[in-house]
Amino acid sequence: MEPVVQYKEVQKSFGDTHVLKGINLDIMPSEKIAIIGPSGSGKTTIIRLLMTLAEPTGGDILVDGKNLWKMEVNGKTKTANEKHLGAVRDDIGMVFQHFNLFPHKTILENCTLPLTSVQKMDKTEAEALAKQMLDRVGLGDKFEAYPANLSGGQKQRVAMARALVMKPKIMLFDEVTSALDPELVGEVLEVIRDLAAHEDMAMVLVTHEMEFALEIADRVLFLDEGVIAESGPADDVINKSENPRLQEFLKRFRSNGQS
Ligand SMILES: Nc1ncnc2c1ncn2[C@@H]1O[C@H](COP(=O)(O)OP(=O)(O)OP(=O)(O)O)[C@@H](O)[C@H]1O
Ligand SMILES: [Mg+2]
């Protein structure tokens, strides 16, 4: 089986700040990966590069074998243009810490918009699919509501439905529960748990929820100062690793409830 995503020696600097220092990572179809690590270690940057929200300063990212940031023109390698990026990015969905919904559009419109604008799907078909995905995240009774009338947990579930309508091969979650009131975290984790159990797509979760990572991740990566310092089955990395930096991180994390 071919990986759905490959990072090959990926580097990212912002000015003088060297954030990612040679990331090598193969993500297999349907694999569920959790990324943990201290603040500033580069977790968000790793997934933003895949979502094409930032450009690597070195190395390559391949999606389904296609180079995301480079394209071939008449046998020559060139920097990818918008069309190429858009085509490759179609396979990737992302849910952010802050949901970024359109406030003046209904929940249903928020979810049909990517289909009608990006995929040029007709409205009836788009609405049917959006309703199916909103049902999937437990919001089948909220189609006509506006974001302002939803709780944070419900908004986050809309954001998931909006990503799911695109039927991505890989879905990225960046600390999607960390901006929520504690009592709303459970309902969002429940949806992710359900997706992880029943969907074939690969999932990459940046998370501070260690128990949750243990429960759903096939593999956990510990990112430390821009390198993948540990990678392995969740239980091995979280409970059995002897890496002192990881132990320090987990200890700090357990004593504060966060990193
Ligand atoms: N657009 C940017 N411009 C300049 N520096 C940036 C930018 N984005 C990220 N950085 C820097 O890159 C480093 C890694 O940031 P990143 O957001 O990937 O960390 P993180 O592991 O997600 O941290 P956190 O747990 O706090 O979310 C930080 O030092 C950050 O200040
Ligand atoms: Mg982050």
Side-chain angles (χ1 to χ4, degrees), residues 228-248:
I228 297 174
E230 289 284 320
S231 163
D235 184 48
D236 289 1
V237 172
I238 294 177
N239 293 326
K240 297 180 185 145
S241 168
E242 291 180 1
N243 180 321
R245 298 270 308 175
L246 174 54
Q247 285 182 344
E248 176 64 21

Side-chain angles (χ1 to χ4, degrees), residues 1 9 23 38 59 82 101-102 121 136 140 170 177 188 191 201 207-208 216 228 234 239 255:
M1 215 190 297
E9 289 297 331
I23 298 294
E82 261 310 312
L101 300 175
F102 291 108
M121 188 183 278
R136 185 71 210 268
I170 176 164
T177 58
V188 172
V191 173
M201 65 192 174
T207 185
H208 286 302
I216 73 154
I228 297 174
N239 293 326
S255 61

Side-chain angles (χ1 to χ4, degrees), residues 12-15 17-20 37-46 48 54 97 174-175 206 208 223 259:
K12 179 64 182 174
S13 297
F14 295 100
T17 319
H18 197 182
V19 176
L20 297 180
S39 183
S41 56
K43 305 180 296 297
T44 295
T45 303
I46 284 196
R48 281 175 52 91
Q97 187 173 353
D174 189 9
E175 299 197 41
V206 173
H208 286 302
L223 198 67
S259 71

